[in-house]
Amino acid sequence: MNQRIATIKKTKEIQEKYNVFTKKTYGQNFIIEPKVVEKIAQAAIESPDELVFEIGPGIGALTQCLCERSNHVVAFEIDDRLPMVLENEIGFDHLEVILQDFMKVDVDQQIQKYRKENQKVVFASNLPYYITTPILFKLFEAKEKIERITVMMQKEVGERFLAKENEKEYNALSVITQYRCDVKKVMDVSRHVFWPKPNVDSMVVQFSFHHKYRLENEDVFFKMVKSCFTQRRKTIYNNFQDFVKDKELAKNLLIQANIEPSTRAQQCTLEDFIRLYEVGKGYYDC
Ligand code: SAM
């Protein structure tokens, strides 16, 4: 095993050697605990044959472990100071570093470019917190098959992805995500294992695509779900009628979908929302 980058000593040594001090604007909080990177890599990769995409390798704390577990790692980094550091410090032939803002990457194109026949594709990252949700939605919307996504994020954001009906954190994001993926917590992570130390704790969450549902127009379904959560204190009927733009129709559709109009969206399951979409899909004018 190579000397771990994910320690405070090695991190500071690399930062001084290459003059690459952390940039807050890029959400740079490097992991300085070997056990954490090892556990993320272990959860992210099931077989060395899987193609691994990493978002934001930084100075390579997690990248190093990903390269030990997979024969092909492709990492996207926005900070132009870092590819050279990764090349020198990691030294694996099967690591490719791409200097690019991940928000501008065409995910389908990159998967097509790097994936070999029948190869499974996974994503892993200690995400830059300022774009956690946009990055995940970009991956959720990819057409090419992704097996699983294993990522570190702010604990309270992770709780929203994981939340089930009747839980405080449950919202449209929970429903839309669970429509596509089984979501599970890999571990809680203390703020003390990052350099510099952020103000919040983190969580590693894994998303596995389940392909259980295939609605005709998913964009309309997502808009409908969001509309039902617009004002948390209102009943589902009150929120939903703004979406349908017809009070009577809204009530009838809820009843047909077996949803009591006086309940709140937070009490409805994913299956409830799917039924509501199905009974009304001819009426939704988006
Ligand atoms: N993986 C490293 C670790 O765990 O120590 C660094 C994680 S740090 C939280 C986030 C990384 O994402 C930084 O290296 C940052 O430069 C990079 N980053 C930020 N925005 C990015 C973007 N839009 N596209 C690609 N990388 C980005």
Side-chain angles (χ1 to χ4, degrees):
M1 196 203 289
N2 292 313
Q3 190 194 357
R4 283 283 169 251
I5 293 173
T7 63
I8 186 64
K9 185 164 175 274
K10 187 73 184 165
T11 300
K12 286 190 171 171
E13 192 184 301
I14 292 176
Q15 288 193 307
E16 274 159 32
K17 182 170 166 192
Y18 298 92
N19 198 19
V20 286
F21 296 96
T22 42
K23 280 193 180 172
K24 230 177 167 175
T25 42
Y26 288 151
Q28 291 179 350
N29 297 95
F30 300 141
I31 302 174
I32 51 164
E33 171 53 63
K35 285 195 198 106
V36 172
V37 282
E38 278 156 21
K39 194 150 177 204
I40 300 174
Q42 184 189 14
I45 303 170
E46 279 183 7
S47 141
D49 298 330
E50 290 175 342
L51 168 61
V52 181
F53 286 103
E54 184 186 5
I55 303 155
I59 59 168
L62 174 61
T63 323
Q64 186 181 40
C65 291
L66 297 174
C67 286
E68 287 168 2
R69 287 185 176 264
S70 162
N71 298 328
H72 196 178
V73 178
V74 179
F76 297 93
E77 174 56 60
I78 197 171
D79 186 340
D80 62 7
R81 304 171 304 164
L82 300 180
M84 192 262 283
V85 177
L86 290 160
E87 214 164 277
N88 287 351
E89 295 294 328
I90 301 224
F92 280 108
D93 291 342
H94 57 278
L95 168 67
E96 293 182 53
V97 180
I98 300 174
L99 178 63
Q100 201 175 357
D101 175 351
F102 189 73
M103 290 314 295
K104 297 193 178 134
V105 166
D106 181 331
V107 176
D108 290 319
Q109 213 176 60
Q110 294 299 315
I111 294 177
Q112 284 163 11
K113 178 170 171 192
Y114 290 103
R115 187 187 46 209
K116 298 193 194 85
E117 216 180 318
N118 297 326
Q119 195 177 24
K120 287 186 177 165
V121 174
V122 304
F123 279 77
S125 179
N126 169 18
L127 287 171
Y129 292 166
Y130 73 106
I131 41 170
T132 297
T133 309
I135 288 182
L136 285 169
F137 273 82
K138 199 172 162 72
L139 298 180
F140 295 157
E141 276 150 28
K143 302 269 176 298
E144 292 292 333
K145 191 164 180 230
I146 297 172
E147 217 55 39
R148 75 195 82 86
I149 303 167
T150 310
V151 283
M152 175 100 73
M153 63 183 73
Q154 253 182 49
K155 188 171 177 176
E156 60 174 31
V157 179
E159 277 162 356
R160 277 182 230 145
F161 283 113
L162 287 160
K164 293 287 185 197
E165 64 279 2
N166 292 316
E167 289 178 1
K168 192 170 90 236
E169 298 80 6
Y170 187 64
N171 66 9
L173 182 82
S174 330
V175 178
I176 293 170
T177 306
Q178 291 166 29
Y179 168 79
R180 293 195 193 284
C181 300
D182 289 323
V183 190
K184 84 167 189 208
K185 171 157 70 167
V186 176
M187 62 174 156
D188 286 317
V189 181
S190 153
R191 67 190 75 183
H192 298 286
V193 305
F194 296 93
W195 172 259
K197 186 175 87 175
N199 294 327
V200 289
D201 290 319
S202 291
M203 185 191 275
V204 178
V205 179
Q206 185 166 71
F207 303 86
S208 309
F209 289 82
H210 52 52
H211 309 285
K212 275 187 214 154
Y213 312 105
R214 228 171 256 282
L215 298 182
E216 210 174 295
N217 191 334
E218 292 175 343
D219 286 343
V220 171
F221 172 66
F222 298 151
K223 279 186 191 148
M224 184 203 83
V225 172
K226 283 182 197 155
S227 80
C228 292
F229 281 91
T230 315
Q231 295 210 46
R232 283 183 83 80
R233 285 169 49 229
K234 282 190 172 180
T235 62
I236 192 164
Y237 168 59
N238 273 320
N239 282 326
F240 182 58
Q241 63 178 246
D242 290 341
F243 179 69
V244 183
K245 298 180 194 88
D246 180 330
K247 286 186 180 183
E248 208 47 37
L249 178 62
K251 195 174 207 164
N252 286 338
L253 292 175
L254 285 164
I255 291 166
Q256 274 181 58
N258 218 4
I259 299 170
E260 172 54 51
S262 64
T263 54
R264 292 190 162 64
Q266 299 90 284
Q267 297 168 280
C268 296
T269 63
L270 167 60
E271 278 70 24
D272 289 332
F273 288 110
I274 290 178
R275 279 199 313 281
L276 186 58
Y277 166 82
E278 290 290 3
V279 296
K281 62 186 175 193
Y283 299 103
Y284 304 144
D285 170 30
C286 292

